[in-house]
């Protein structure tokens, strides 16, 4: 049997990694883009399946490489507008990230293993990915439908908002933990000593406790950045917040009446952390 290489363009539909990232971006009122000049010809996963079936029915007699592309070339913003329209939203507003910010983001993505932001995704975002659909059509008779014709039950606006909230909440938790660590090592160090003194802890044990707490906070923040450690970091921060809340309630109950609610905010952070933790196994299984 002659070998056939099928080269699909960006495939959209349930379960696709690229679709996940695009759905995550689609709800935002201002959508950041790495580039908005390159064009691509996206197709729906149903067309990918239909093309494979058509090839099985009409297998080429000679080895060949066939591009599988959608009928319309579009930029990233135009693609996102299609997805937004399918979810009942109007055209989006877009912001192409400045080069220094893009460079920083790519460096962080390479360091922490982010699939949506790295050198490969940047290179793909900056070059056209176009091909003619005629060779495939002449070989097996299949032509991809326009994207709008496939976007009926997918994507769902509720699912897209759900996806968009996950990285936002993770970023907020990282900011909280790393910010707390810096505060404890800097201007908040003496404040931490005063709080411990109220609980009857002073001298070198108090200093050691503040430093250990800052180190723990920093490790939790860094753990959330690394996908392979994120689940354990979320578990650790949940237990830490529960323990911290219990100790404050027992030793320093008057902090519950602090106007800034430093302890009461844990009642919000705990369910957020639990929600993110529950998402981790499903997210991990979806990764190839």
């Amino acid at each position: 049997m002659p070998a056939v290489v099928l080269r699909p363009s960006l495939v959209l539909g349930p379960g696709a990694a690229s679709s996940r990232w695009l759905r995550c971006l689609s709800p935002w009122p201002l959508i950041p883009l790495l580039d908005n000049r390159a064009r691509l010809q996206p197709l729906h996963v149903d067309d990918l399946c239909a093309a494979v079936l058509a090839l099985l029915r009409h297998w080429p007699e000679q080895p060949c490489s066939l591009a599988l592309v959608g009928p319309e070339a579009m930029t990233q913003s135009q693609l996102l507008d299609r997805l937004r329209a399918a979810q009942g939203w109007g055209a989006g507003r877009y912001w192409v990230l400045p080069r220094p910010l893009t460079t920083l983001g790519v460096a962080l993505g390479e360091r922490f293993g982010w699939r949506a932001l790295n050198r490969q995704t940047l290179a793909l975002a900056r070059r056209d990915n176009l091909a003619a659909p005629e060779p495939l059509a002449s070989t097996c008779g299949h032509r991809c439908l326009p994207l709008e014709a496939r976007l009926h039950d997918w994507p769902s606006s509720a699912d897209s908002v759900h996806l968009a909230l996950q990285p936002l909440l993770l970023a907020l938790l990282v900011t909280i933990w790393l910010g707390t660590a810096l505060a404890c090592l800097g201007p908040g160090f003496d404040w931490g000593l005063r709080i411990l003194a109220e609980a009857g802890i002073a001298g070198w044990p108090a200093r050691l406790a503040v430093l250990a707490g800052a180190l723990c906070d920093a490790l939790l923040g860094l753990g959330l950045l690394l996908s392979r450690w994120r689940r354990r970091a979320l578990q650790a921060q949940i237990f830490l917040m529960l323990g911290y809340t219990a100790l404050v309630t027992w030793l320093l109950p008057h902090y519950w009446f602090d106007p800034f609610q430093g302890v009461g905010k844990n009642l919000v952070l705990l369910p957020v952390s639990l929600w993110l933790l529950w998402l981790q196994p499903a997210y991990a299984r979806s990764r190839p």
Side-chain angles (χ1 to χ4, degrees):
M1 178 181 290
V4 175
V5 177
L6 191 61
R7 297 182 290 107
S9 181
L10 178 67
V11 179
L12 302 176
S18 298
S19 297
R20 181 184 178 89
W21 180 241
L22 290 168
R23 287 166 58 204
C24 180
L25 288 175
S26 65
W28 292 102
L30 181 63
I31 301 175
L33 297 177
L34 297 176
D35 192 277
N36 197 31
R37 293 169 296 177
R39 296 175 300 157
L40 65 160
Q41 294 166 273
L43 65 144
H44 195 272
V45 66
D46 289 350
D47 276 306
L48 173 60
C49 297
V52 172
L53 292 175
L55 278 171
L56 291 175
R57 290 192 296 266
H58 305 282
W59 197 260
E61 296 181 357
Q62 299 294 329
C64 60
S65 176
L66 298 170
L68 175 58
V69 296
E72 183 181 2
M74 60 186 75
T75 62
Q76 289 188 54
S77 62
Q78 291 170 333
L79 171 56
L80 282 163
D81 280 344
R82 301 291 200 286
L83 296 179
R84 287 177 60 88
Q87 298 172 86
W89 300 322
R93 296 176 180 271
Y94 300 96
W95 175 44
V96 178
L97 298 176
R99 187 171 292 272
L101 191 57
T102 301
T103 302
L104 175 61
V106 168
L108 291 174
E110 290 287 337
R111 176 64 183 85
F112 293 110
W114 298 342
R115 296 180 61 196
L117 186 58
N118 51 49
R119 284 195 294 266
Q120 182 181 12
T121 56
L122 179 61
L124 290 173
R126 286 180 171 173
R127 70 167 182 258
D128 287 341
N129 184 12
L130 304 175
E134 284 75 17
L136 178 68
S138 62
T139 300
C140 65
H142 178 76
R143 285 184 179 273
C144 296
L145 291 178
L147 200 56
E148 292 88 342
R150 295 290 194 186
L151 300 179
H152 298 303
D153 300 325
W154 182 95
S156 160
S157 58
D159 289 342
S160 295
V161 171
H162 171 98
L163 286 175
L165 284 176
Q166 184 180 354
L168 174 63
L169 293 176
L170 277 172
L172 291 175
L173 287 177
V174 169
T175 302
I176 289 172
W177 289 115
L178 294 182
T180 303
L182 291 174
C184 288
L185 294 175
F189 186 80
D190 290 336
W191 192 2
L193 293 178
R194 289 196 297 270
I195 293 174
L196 290 174
E198 292 182 49
I201 304 173
W204 69 265
R207 294 179 179 275
L208 182 61
V210 173
L211 292 174
L215 177 61
C216 182
D217 292 345
L219 290 175
L220 287 175
L222 293 175
L224 291 175
L225 286 173
L226 297 167
S227 57
R228 64 179 179 273
W229 291 107
R230 188 169 297 146
R231 190 171 188 275
R232 294 190 180 277
L234 286 166
Q235 291 172 332
Q237 76 178 38
I238 289 170
F239 285 115
L240 181 65
M241 284 189 287
L242 287 172
Y244 167 75
T245 303
L247 284 174
V248 170
T249 302
W250 178 36
L251 298 173
L252 304 167
H254 58 278
Y255 275 95
W256 278 102
F257 304 100
D258 178 4
F260 293 102
Q261 279 294 300
V263 181
K265 290 173 183 175
N266 286 344
L267 300 179
V268 176
L269 293 176
L270 278 170
V272 168
S273 301
L274 280 171
W275 182 71
L276 290 171
L277 177 61
W278 290 334
L279 291 179
Q280 294 309 304
Y283 176 64
R285 285 196 298 270
S286 70
R287 296 180 64 180

